[in-house]
Coordinates of all heavy atoms in Angstrom, one line a residue:
M1 N 10.4 175.7 118.0 CA 9.8 176.6 117.1 C 9.4 177.8 117.9 O 8.8 177.9 119.0 CB 8.5 175.9 116.5 CG 7.9 176.8 115.6 SD 6.6 175.8 114.5 CE 5.1 176.5 115.2
P2 N 9.7 179.1 117.3 CA 9.5 180.3 117.9 C 7.9 180.5 118.1 O 7.2 180.1 117.3 CB 10.0 181.4 117.0 CG 10.9 180.7 116.1 CD 10.5 179.2 116.0
S3 N 7.6 181.2 119.2 CA 6.2 181.5 119.4 C 5.7 182.6 118.4 O 6.5 183.3 117.8 CB 5.9 182.1 120.8 OG 6.6 183.3 121.0
Q4 N 4.4 182.8 118.3 CA 3.8 183.8 117.4 C 4.3 185.2 117.9 O 4.5 186.1 117.1 CB 2.3 183.8 117.4 CG 1.9 182.6 116.7 CD 2.3 182.5 115.1 OE1 2.2 183.5 114.5 NE2 2.8 181.4 114.8
E5 N 4.4 185.4 119.2 CA 4.8 186.7 119.9 C 6.3 187.0 119.4 O 6.6 188.1 119.1 CB 4.7 186.6 121.3 CG 3.3 186.7 121.9 CD 2.8 185.2 122.1 OE1 3.4 184.2 121.6 OE2 1.7 185.0 122.5
S6 N 7.1 186.0 119.5 CA 8.5 186.1 119.2 C 8.6 186.5 117.7 O 9.4 187.4 117.4 CB 9.2 184.8 119.4 OG 10.6 184.9 119.0
I7 N 7.9 185.9 116.8 CA 8.0 186.2 115.4 C 7.5 187.6 115.2 O 8.2 188.3 114.4 CB 7.1 185.2 114.6 CG1 7.7 183.8 114.7 CG2 6.9 185.7 113.1 CD1 6.8 182.7 114.1
A8 N 6.4 188.0 115.8 CA 5.9 189.4 115.6 C 7.0 190.4 116.2 O 7.2 191.5 115.5 CB 4.6 189.6 116.4
V9 N 7.6 190.1 117.2 CA 8.6 191.1 117.9 C 9.8 191.2 116.9 O 10.2 192.3 116.7 CB 9.0 190.6 119.3 CG1 10.2 191.4 119.8 CG2 7.8 190.8 120.2
R10 N 10.2 190.1 116.4 CA 11.5 190.1 115.5 C 11.1 190.9 114.2 O 11.9 191.7 113.7 CB 11.8 188.7 115.2 CG 12.5 188.0 116.3 CD 13.0 186.5 116.0 NE 13.5 185.9 117.1 CZ 14.0 184.7 117.1 NH1 14.0 184.0 116.0 NH2 14.5 184.2 118.2
Q11 N 9.9 190.7 113.7 CA 9.5 191.4 112.5 C 9.5 192.9 112.7 O 9.9 193.7 111.9 CB 8.2 190.9 111.9 CG 8.2 189.6 111.4 CD 6.9 189.0 111.0 OE1 5.8 189.4 111.5 NE2 6.9 187.9 110.1
Y12 N 8.9 193.3 113.9 CA 8.8 194.6 114.3 C 10.2 195.3 114.4 O 10.4 196.4 113.9 CB 8.0 194.8 115.6 CG 8.0 196.2 116.1 CD1 7.1 197.2 115.6 CD2 8.9 196.8 117.0 CE1 7.1 198.5 116.1 CE2 8.9 198.0 117.4 CZ 8.0 199.0 117.0 OH 8.1 200.3 117.3
L13 N 11.1 194.5 115.2 CA 12.4 195.0 115.3 C 13.2 195.2 114.0 O 13.9 196.3 113.8 CB 13.3 194.1 116.2 CG 13.0 194.1 117.7 CD1 13.7 192.9 118.4 CD2 13.4 195.4 118.3
K14 N 13.1 194.2 113.1 CA 13.7 194.4 111.7 C 13.2 195.6 111.1 O 13.9 196.4 110.5 CB 13.5 193.2 111.0 CG 14.3 192.0 111.4 CD 14.1 190.8 110.5 CE 14.9 189.6 111.0 NZ 14.6 188.4 110.3
A15 N 11.8 195.9 111.0 CA 11.3 197.0 110.3 C 11.7 198.3 111.1 O 12.0 199.3 110.4 CB 9.7 196.8 110.4
F16 N 11.7 198.3 112.4 CA 12.1 199.5 113.1 C 13.6 199.9 112.8 O 13.8 201.0 112.6 CB 11.9 199.3 114.6 CG 12.3 200.4 115.5 CD1 11.5 201.6 115.6 CD2 13.6 200.4 116.1 CE1 12.0 202.8 116.3 CE2 13.9 201.6 116.9 CZ 13.2 202.7 117.0
V17 N 14.5 199.0 112.8 CA 15.9 199.2 112.6 C 16.0 199.7 111.1 O 16.8 200.6 110.9 CB 16.8 198.0 112.9 CG1 18.1 198.2 112.4 CG2 16.7 197.7 114.3
A18 N 15.3 199.0 110.2 CA 15.5 199.4 108.8 C 14.9 200.9 108.5 O 15.5 201.5 107.6 CB 14.8 198.4 107.9
S19 N 14.1 201.3 109.3 CA 13.4 202.6 109.2 C 14.2 203.8 109.8 O 13.8 204.9 109.6 CB 12.0 202.6 109.7 OG 12.0 202.6 111.1
Q20 N 15.2 203.4 110.5 CA 15.9 204.4 111.3 C 17.1 205.0 110.5 O 17.8 204.3 109.7 CB 16.6 203.9 112.5 CG 15.5 203.4 113.5 CD 14.4 204.4 113.9 OE1 14.8 205.5 114.3 NE2 13.1 204.0 113.6
P21 N 17.3 206.4 110.7 CA 18.5 207.0 110.0 C 19.8 206.4 110.5 O 19.8 205.7 111.6 CB 18.3 208.5 110.3 CG 17.5 208.5 111.6 CD 16.6 207.3 111.5
A22 N 20.9 206.7 109.9 CA 22.1 206.1 110.2 C 22.6 206.5 111.7 O 23.1 205.7 112.4 CB 23.2 206.6 109.3
G23 N 22.2 207.7 112.1 CA 22.6 208.2 113.4 C 21.4 208.0 114.4 O 20.8 209.0 114.7
L24 N 21.1 206.8 114.7 CA 20.0 206.5 115.6 C 20.1 207.2 117.0 O 21.1 207.2 117.5 CB 19.9 205.0 115.8 CG 18.8 204.5 116.5 CD1 17.5 204.8 115.8 CD2 18.8 203.0 116.7
D25 N 18.9 207.9 117.3 CA 18.9 208.6 118.5 C 18.6 207.6 119.7 O 17.7 206.8 119.7 CB 17.7 209.6 118.4 CG 17.5 210.4 119.7 OD1 18.3 211.3 119.9 OD2 16.6 210.0 120.4
L26 N 19.5 207.7 120.7 CA 19.4 206.8 121.9 C 18.1 206.9 122.6 O 17.5 205.9 123.0 CB 20.7 207.0 122.8 CG 20.7 206.0 124.0 CD1 20.8 204.7 123.4 CD2 21.9 206.3 124.8
D27 N 17.7 208.2 122.9 CA 16.4 208.4 123.6 C 15.2 207.7 122.8 O 14.3 207.0 123.4 CB 16.1 209.8 123.9 CG 17.0 210.4 124.9 OD1 17.4 209.6 125.8 OD2 17.3 211.6 124.9
A28 N 15.2 207.9 121.5 CA 14.2 207.3 120.6 C 14.2 205.7 120.7 O 13.3 205.1 120.7 CB 14.3 207.8 119.2
S29 N 15.5 205.3 120.7 CA 15.6 203.8 120.8 C 15.1 203.3 122.1 O 14.4 202.2 122.2 CB 17.1 203.4 120.7 OG 17.6 203.7 119.5
R30 N 15.4 203.9 123.2 CA 14.8 203.6 124.5 C 13.3 203.6 124.5 O 12.7 202.7 125.1 CB 15.5 204.5 125.6 CG 17.0 204.1 125.9 CD 17.5 205.1 126.8 NE 18.9 204.7 127.1 CZ 19.8 205.5 127.6 NH1 19.5 206.7 127.9 NH2 21.0 205.1 127.8
K31 N 12.7 204.6 124.0 CA 11.3 204.7 124.0 C 10.7 203.7 123.1 O 9.7 203.0 123.4 CB 10.9 206.1 123.5 CG 9.3 206.3 123.6 CD 9.0 207.7 123.2 CE 9.3 208.7 124.4 NZ 8.8 210.0 124.3
G32 N 11.3 203.4 122.0 CA 10.9 202.4 121.0 C 10.8 201.0 121.8 O 9.9 200.2 121.6
L33 N 11.9 200.7 122.5 CA 12.0 199.4 123.2 C 11.0 199.3 124.2 O 10.3 198.2 124.4 CB 13.4 199.2 123.7 CG 13.7 197.9 124.4 CD1 13.6 196.9 123.5 CD2 15.1 198.0 124.9
E34 N 10.7 200.4 125.0 CA 9.6 200.4 126.0 C 8.2 200.1 125.3 O 7.5 199.2 125.8 CB 9.5 201.8 126.7 CG 10.6 202.0 127.7 CD 10.3 201.5 129.0 OE1 9.1 201.1 129.4 OE2 11.2 201.5 129.9
I35 N 7.9 200.7 124.2 CA 6.7 200.5 123.4 C 6.7 199.0 123.0 O 5.6 198.3 123.1 CB 6.5 201.5 122.4 CG1 6.3 202.8 122.8 CG2 5.4 201.0 121.4 CD1 6.5 203.9 121.8
L36 N 7.7 198.5 122.4 CA 7.8 197.2 121.9 C 7.6 196.2 123.0 O 6.8 195.2 122.9 CB 9.1 196.9 121.2 CG 9.3 195.5 120.7 CD1 8.4 195.2 119.7 CD2 10.7 195.4 120.3
S37 N 8.1 196.4 124.2 CA 8.0 195.5 125.3 C 6.7 195.5 125.9 O 6.2 194.4 126.4 CB 9.0 195.9 126.4 OG 10.3 195.9 126.0
S38 N 5.8 196.5 125.7 CA 4.5 196.5 126.2 C 3.6 195.6 125.4 O 2.5 195.2 125.9 CB 3.9 198.0 126.2 OG 3.6 198.3 124.9
L39 N 4.1 195.1 124.3 CA 3.3 194.1 123.5 C 3.2 192.7 124.1 O 2.4 191.8 123.7 CB 3.8 194.1 122.1 CG 3.7 195.4 121.3 CD1 4.5 195.2 119.9 CD2 2.3 195.9 121.1
T40 N 4.2 192.5 125.1 CA 4.3 191.1 125.6 C 4.2 191.2 127.1 O 5.2 191.1 127.8 CB 5.5 190.4 125.2 OG1 6.7 191.3 125.5 CG2 5.7 190.1 123.7
P41 N 2.9 191.3 127.7 CA 2.8 191.5 129.1 C 3.1 190.0 129.8 O 3.0 189.0 129.1 CB 1.4 191.9 129.3 CG 0.6 191.3 128.1 CD 1.7 191.4 127.0
I42 N 3.4 190.2 131.0 CA 3.6 188.9 131.8 C 2.3 188.3 132.2 O 1.3 188.8 132.2 CB 4.6 189.2 133.0 CG1 3.8 190.1 134.0 CG2 5.8 189.7 132.7 CD1 4.6 190.2 135.3
A43 N 2.4 186.9 132.5 CA 1.2 186.2 132.8 C 0.6 186.8 134.1 O 1.3 187.4 134.9 CB 1.6 184.8 133.0
L44 N -0.7 186.6 134.3 CA -1.4 187.1 135.4 C -1.1 186.5 136.7 O -1.2 187.1 137.8 CB -3.0 187.0 135.2 CG -3.5 187.8 134.1 CD1 -5.0 187.5 133.9 CD2 -3.2 189.4 134.2
D45 N -0.5 185.3 136.7 CA -0.2 184.7 138.0 C 1.3 184.9 138.4 O 1.8 184.4 139.4 CB -0.4 183.1 137.9 CG 0.4 182.4 136.8 OD1 1.0 183.2 136.0 OD2 0.4 181.2 136.7
I46 N 2.0 185.8 137.7 CA 3.4 186.2 138.1 C 3.2 187.4 139.0 O 2.5 188.4 138.6 CB 4.2 186.6 136.8 CG1 4.2 185.4 135.8 CG2 5.6 187.0 137.2 CD1 4.8 184.1 136.4
T47 N 4.0 187.5 140.1 CA 4.0 188.6 141.0 C 5.3 189.4 140.7 O 6.4 188.8 140.6 CB 3.8 188.3 142.5 OG1 4.9 187.4 142.8 CG2 2.5 187.6 142.7
V48 N 5.2 190.7 140.8 CA 6.4 191.5 140.6 C 6.5 192.5 141.8 O 5.6 193.2 142.0 CB 6.3 192.4 139.3 CG1 7.6 193.2 139.2 CG2 6.2 191.4 138.1
E49 N 7.6 192.5 142.5 CA 7.8 193.4 143.6 C 9.0 194.3 143.3 O 10.2 193.8 143.2 CB 8.1 192.6 144.9 CG 8.4 193.5 146.1 CD 8.8 192.6 147.3 OE1 8.5 191.5 147.4 OE2 9.5 193.2 148.2
K50 N 8.8 195.5 143.0 CA 9.8 196.5 142.7 C 10.6 196.8 143.9 O 10.1 196.9 145.0 CB 9.2 197.8 142.1 CG 8.6 197.5 140.8 CD 8.1 198.8 140.1 CE 7.4 198.6 138.9 NZ 8.4 198.3 137.8
T51 N 12.0 197.0 143.8 CA 12.8 197.2 144.9 C 14.1 198.0 144.3 O 14.1 198.3 143.1 CB 13.2 195.9 145.6 OG1 14.1 196.3 146.8 CG2 14.1 195.0 144.7
K52 N 15.0 198.4 145.1 CA 16.3 198.9 144.7 C 17.4 198.2 145.4 O 17.4 197.8 146.5 CB 16.3 200.4 145.0 CG 15.4 201.2 144.1 CD 15.7 202.7 144.2 CE 14.9 203.4 143.2 NZ 15.2 204.8 143.0
V53 N 18.5 198.0 144.7 CA 19.8 197.4 145.3 C 20.8 198.5 145.1 O 21.3 198.8 144.0 CB 20.2 196.1 144.5 CG1 21.5 195.6 145.0 CG2 19.0 195.1 144.6
E54 N 21.2 199.1 146.2 CA 22.2 200.2 146.2 C 21.8 201.3 145.3 O 22.6 201.8 144.5 CB 23.6 199.6 146.0 CG 24.0 198.7 147.2 CD 25.5 198.3 147.1 OE1 26.3 199.0 146.3 OE2 25.9 197.3 147.7
G55 N 20.5 201.6 145.2 CA 20.0 202.7 144.4 C 19.6 202.2 142.9 O 19.2 203.1 142.2
I56 N 19.9 201.1 142.6 CA 19.6 200.6 141.2 C 18.3 199.9 141.2 O 18.1 199.0 142.0 CB 20.7 199.6 140.8 CG1 22.1 200.4 140.8 CG2 20.5 199.1 139.4 CD1 23.3 199.4 140.6
P57 N 17.4 200.3 140.2 CA 16.1 199.6 140.2 C 16.3 198.0 140.0 O 17.1 197.6 139.1 CB 15.5 200.2 139.0 CG 16.2 201.5 138.8 CD 17.6 201.3 139.3
A58 N 15.5 197.3 140.7 CA 15.5 195.8 140.6 C 14.1 195.3 140.9 O 13.2 196.1 141.2 CB 16.5 195.3 141.5
E59 N 13.8 194.0 140.7 CA 12.6 193.5 140.9 C 12.8 192.0 141.4 O 13.7 191.2 141.1 CB 11.7 193.4 139.6 CG 11.4 194.7 139.0 CD 10.5 194.6 137.9 OE1 10.5 193.5 137.2 OE2 9.9 195.7 137.5
W60 N 11.8 191.7 142.4 CA 11.6 190.3 142.7 C 10.5 189.7 141.9 O 9.4 190.3 142.1 CB 11.4 190.1 144.2 CG 12.5 190.4 145.1 CD1 12.8 191.4 145.9 CD2 13.6 189.4 145.4 NE1 14.0 191.3 146.6 CE2 14.4 190.0 146.3 CE3 13.9 188.2 144.9 CZ2 15.6 189.4 146.8 CZ3 15.1 187.5 145.4 CH2 15.9 188.1 146.2
I61 N 10.7 188.7 141.2 CA 9.6 188.2 140.4 C 9.4 186.7 140.8 O 10.3 186.0 141.0 CB 10.0 188.2 138.9 CG1 10.2 189.7 138.4 CG2 9.0 187.5 138.0 CD1 10.6 189.9 137.0
A62 N 8.1 186.5 141.1 CA 7.8 185.1 141.5 C 6.6 184.5 140.7 O 5.7 185.2 140.3 CB 7.4 185.1 143.0
A63 N 6.8 183.2 140.4 CA 5.8 182.5 139.7 C 5.1 181.6 140.8 O 5.5 181.3 141.9 CB 6.4 181.6 138.7
P64 N 3.9 180.9 140.4 CA 3.3 180.0 141.2 C 4.3 178.8 141.6 O 5.1 178.5 140.8 CB 2.1 179.4 140.4 CG 1.9 180.5 139.4 CD 3.2 181.1 139.1
N65 N 4.1 178.4 142.9 CA 5.0 177.3 143.3 C 6.4 177.7 143.5 O 7.3 176.8 143.5 CB 4.8 176.0 142.5 CG 3.4 175.5 142.4 OD1 2.6 175.5 143.4 ND2 3.0 175.2 141.3
T66 N 6.7 178.9 143.7 CA 8.1 179.4 143.8 C 8.7 178.8 145.1 O 8.0 178.8 146.1 CB 8.1 181.0 143.9 OG1 7.6 181.5 142.7 CG2 9.4 181.5 144.2
V67 N 10.0 178.3 145.0 CA 10.7 178.0 146.2 C 11.3 179.2 146.8 O 12.2 179.8 146.2 CB 11.7 176.9 145.8 CG1 12.5 176.4 147.0 CG2 11.1 175.7 145.1
E68 N 10.9 179.6 147.9 CA 11.3 180.8 148.5 C 12.7 180.9 149.0 O 13.2 182.0 149.2 CB 10.3 181.2 149.6 CG 9.0 181.5 149.1 CD 8.0 182.3 150.1 OE1 8.6 182.8 151.0 OE2 6.9 182.2 149.9
N69 N 13.4 179.8 149.2 CA 14.8 179.8 149.6 C 15.7 179.8 148.5 O 17.0 179.5 148.7 CB 15.0 178.8 150.8 CG 14.9 177.4 150.2 OD1 14.3 177.2 149.1 ND2 15.6 176.5 150.9
R70 N 15.3 180.0 147.2 CA 16.2 179.9 146.1 C 15.9 181.2 145.2 O 14.7 181.5 145.2 CB 15.9 178.7 145.3 CG 16.3 177.4 146.0 CD 16.1 176.2 145.3 NE 16.4 175.0 146.1 CZ 17.2 174.1 145.7 NH1 17.8 174.1 144.5 NH2 17.4 173.1 146.5
V71 N 16.9 181.7 144.5 CA 16.7 182.8 143.6 C 17.5 182.5 142.3 O 18.4 181.7 142.3 CB 17.1 184.1 144.2 CG1 16.3 184.5 145.5 CG2 18.7 184.1 144.5
F72 N 17.1 183.2 141.3 CA 17.8 183.2 140.0 C 18.1 184.6 139.7 O 17.2 185.5 139.5 CB 16.8 182.6 139.0 CG 17.4 182.5 137.7 CD1 18.2 181.4 137.3 CD2 17.2 183.5 136.7 CE1 18.8 181.3 136.0 CE2 17.7 183.4 135.4 CZ 18.5 182.3 135.1
L73 N 19.3 185.0 139.6 CA 19.7 186.3 139.3 C 19.9 186.4 137.8 O 20.6 185.7 137.1 CB 21.1 186.6 139.9 CG 21.8 188.0 139.5 CD1 20.9 189.2 140.1 CD2 23.1 188.1 140.0
Y74 N 19.1 187.4 137.2 CA 19.1 187.5 135.8 C 19.5 189.0 135.5 O 19.1 190.0 136.0 CB 17.8 187.4 135.2 CG 17.6 187.7 133.7 CD1 18.2 186.8 132.8 CD2 17.0 188.9 133.3 CE1 18.2 187.1 131.5 CE2 17.1 189.2 132.0 CZ 17.5 188.4 131.1 OH 17.5 188.6 129.7
L75 N 20.6 189.2 134.7 CA 21.1 190.4 134.2 C 20.9 190.5 132.8 O 21.6 189.7 132.1 CB 22.6 190.6 134.6 CG 22.9 190.4 136.1 CD1 24.4 190.3 136.3 CD2 22.3 191.5 136.9
H76 N 20.0 191.3 132.2 CA 19.7 191.3 130.8 C 20.8 192.0 130.0 O 21.6 192.7 130.6 CB 18.4 192.1 130.6 CG 18.4 193.5 130.9 ND1 19.0 194.4 129.9 CD2 18.0 194.3 131.9 CE1 18.9 195.6 130.3 NE2 18.3 195.6 131.6
G77 N 20.8 191.8 128.7 CA 21.8 192.4 127.9 C 21.3 193.8 127.6 O 20.3 194.3 128.2
G78 N 21.9 194.6 126.7 CA 21.6 195.9 126.3 C 22.8 196.8 126.3 O 22.7 198.0 126.2
A79 N 24.0 196.2 126.4 CA 25.2 197.0 126.2 C 25.3 198.2 127.2 O 25.9 199.1 127.0 CB 25.4 197.5 124.8
Y80 N 24.6 198.1 128.4 CA 24.5 199.1 129.4 C 24.0 200.4 129.0 O 24.1 201.5 129.5 CB 26.0 199.4 130.0 CG 26.6 198.0 130.5 CD1 27.6 197.4 129.9 CD2 26.1 197.6 131.8 CE1 28.1 196.2 130.4 CE2 26.7 196.4 132.3 CZ 27.7 195.8 131.6 OH 28.2 194.6 132.1
I81 N 23.3 200.4 127.8 CA 22.6 201.6 127.3 C 21.2 201.5 127.1 O 20.4 202.4 127.0 CB 23.3 202.2 126.1 CG1 23.2 201.2 125.0 CG2 24.7 202.6 126.4 CD1 23.7 201.7 123.6
L82 N 20.7 200.2 126.8 CA 19.3 199.9 126.5 C 18.7 198.9 127.4 O 19.3 197.9 127.8 CB 19.1 199.4 125.1 CG 19.4 200.4 123.9 CD1 19.2 199.6 122.6 CD2 18.2 201.5 124.0
G83 N 17.4 199.1 127.8 CA 16.7 198.2 128.6 C 16.7 198.4 130.0 O 17.5 199.3 130.6
N84 N 15.6 198.0 130.7 CA 15.4 198.2 132.1 C 14.4 197.0 132.5 O 14.1 196.1 131.8 CB 14.9 199.6 132.3 CG 13.5 199.8 131.6 OD1 12.7 199.0 131.5 ND2 13.5 201.0 131.0
C85 N 13.9 197.1 133.8 CA 13.0 196.1 134.3 C 11.7 196.0 133.3 O 11.3 194.9 133.0 CB 12.7 196.4 135.6 SG 14.0 196.2 136.9
N86 N 11.3 197.1 132.9 CA 10.1 197.1 132.1 C 10.3 196.4 130.7 O 9.3 195.7 130.2 CB 9.5 198.5 131.9 CG 9.1 199.2 133.1 OD1 8.6 198.5 134.0 ND2 9.2 200.5 133.2
T87 N 11.4 196.7 130.1 CA 11.7 196.2 128.7 C 12.0 194.7 128.7 O 11.9 194.0 127.7 CB 12.8 196.9 128.1 OG1 14.0 196.8 128.8 CG2 12.3 198.4 127.9
H88 N 12.5 194.2 129.9 CA 13.0 192.8 129.8 C 12.2 191.8 130.7 O 12.5 190.6 130.7 CB 14.5 192.7 130.2 CG 15.3 193.2 129.0 ND1 15.4 194.5 128.6 CD2 16.1 192.5 128.1 CE1 16.2 194.6 127.6 NE2 16.7 193.4 127.3
R89 N 11.3 192.3 131.4 CA 10.6 191.5 132.5 C 9.8 190.4 131.7 O 9.9 189.3 132.0 CB 9.7 192.3 133.2 CG 8.8 191.5 134.3 CD 7.8 192.4 135.0 NE 8.3 193.6 135.4 CZ 8.0 194.8 135.0 NH1 7.0 194.9 133.9 NH2 8.4 195.9 135.5
G90 N 9.0 190.8 130.7 CA 8.2 189.8 130.0 C 8.9 189.1 128.8 O 8.7 188.0 128.6
N91 N 9.6 189.9 128.0 CA 10.1 189.4 126.8 C 11.1 188.2 127.0 O 11.0 187.3 126.2 CB 10.9 190.5 126.1 CG 10.0 191.6 125.6 OD1 8.8 191.4 125.6 ND2 10.6 192.8 125.3
D92 N 11.9 188.3 128.0 CA 12.8 187.2 128.2 C 12.1 185.9 128.7 O 12.8 184.9 128.8 CB 13.9 187.6 129.2 CG 14.7 188.7 128.6 OD1 14.8 188.8 127.4 OD2 15.3 189.6 129.4
L93 N 10.8 186.0 129.0 CA 10.1 184.7 129.4 C 9.5 184.0 128.2 O 8.9 183.0 128.3 CB 9.0 185.1 130.4 CG 9.6 185.8 131.8 CD1 8.4 186.1 132.6 CD2 10.5 184.9 132.5
I94 N 9.6 184.7 127.0 CA 9.0 184.1 125.9 C 10.0 183.1 125.3 O 11.1 183.4 124.8 CB 8.8 185.2 124.8 CG1 7.7 186.2 125.4 CG2 8.3 184.6 123.5 CD1 7.6 187.4 124.5
P95 N 9.7 181.8 125.2 CA 10.5 180.9 124.6 C 10.8 181.2 123.1 O 9.9 181.6 122.3 CB 9.7 179.6 124.7 CG 8.7 179.8 125.7 CD 8.3 181.2 125.7
G96 N 12.1 181.1 122.7 CA 12.4 181.4 121.4 C 12.6 182.8 121.0 O 12.8 183.2 119.9
F97 N 12.6 183.7 122.0 CA 12.6 185.1 121.7 C 14.0 185.5 121.1 O 14.1 186.3 120.3 CB 12.4 186.0 123.0 CG 12.4 187.5 122.7 CD1 11.3 188.2 122.0 CD2 13.4 188.3 123.2 CE1 11.3 189.4 121.8 CE2 13.5 189.6 122.9 CZ 12.4 190.2 122.2
Y98 N 15.1 184.9 121.6 CA 16.4 185.3 121.1 C 16.9 184.2 120.2 O 16.7 183.1 120.2 CB 17.4 185.4 122.3 CG 17.1 186.6 123.0 CD1 16.5 186.5 124.3 CD2 17.4 187.9 122.5 CE1 16.2 187.7 125.0 CE2 17.1 189.0 123.2 CZ 16.5 188.9 124.5 OH 16.2 190.0 125.2

């Protein structure tokens, strides 16, 4: 069953998309996604270390009891035009978001 946060985000997305003109502005879409993402902050016990990989922004994210010799590489969707560390850090941790 989706979380209440997931339901709220989906409702917001549907309303946002329905309210946009046919020629949606990419900058406005990016800003809207940043605002939407701020509604789902990450848990307080999660640590985030910002870094760059060959000039590309990236993050090391760790939860309590992290096994330090193992990593999980996550590449979010967005068709290479939408999303960044801020927009996908917390949202993708919400069960049932997609």
Side-chain angles (χ1 to χ4, degrees):
M1 183 163 105
S3 67
Q4 291 299 317
E5 292 90 351
S6 175
I7 292 169
V9 167
R10 287 179 184 183
Q11 289 173 342
Y12 176 85
L13 283 172
K14 286 180 183 179
F16 177 75
V17 170
S19 71
Q20 300 304 305
L24 184 62
D25 179 77
L26 185 57
D27 287 332
S29 295
R30 289 176 175 159
K31 185 174 279 189
L33 186 57
E34 286 273 351
I35 292 168
L36 176 64
S37 298
S38 70
L39 299 175
T40 55
I42 61 172
L44 295 175
D45 59 351
I46 303 295
T47 60
V48 178
E49 179 186 337
K50 294 184 179 288
T51 187
K52 288 192 176 191
V53 177
E54 296 190 17
I56 299 169
E59 295 179 344
W60 284 107
I61 300 176
N65 302 316
T66 298
V67 177
E68 294 193 19
N69 66 343
R70 296 180 185 231
V71 298
F72 180 84
L73 175 63
Y74 174 74
L75 304 170
H76 71 79
Y80 302 104
I81 59 170
L82 286 176
N84 57 43
C85 292
N86 295 330
T87 61
H88 284 72
R89 180 187 312 112
N91 293 344
D92 294 333
L93 301 176
I94 299 171
F97 183 74
Y98 290 104

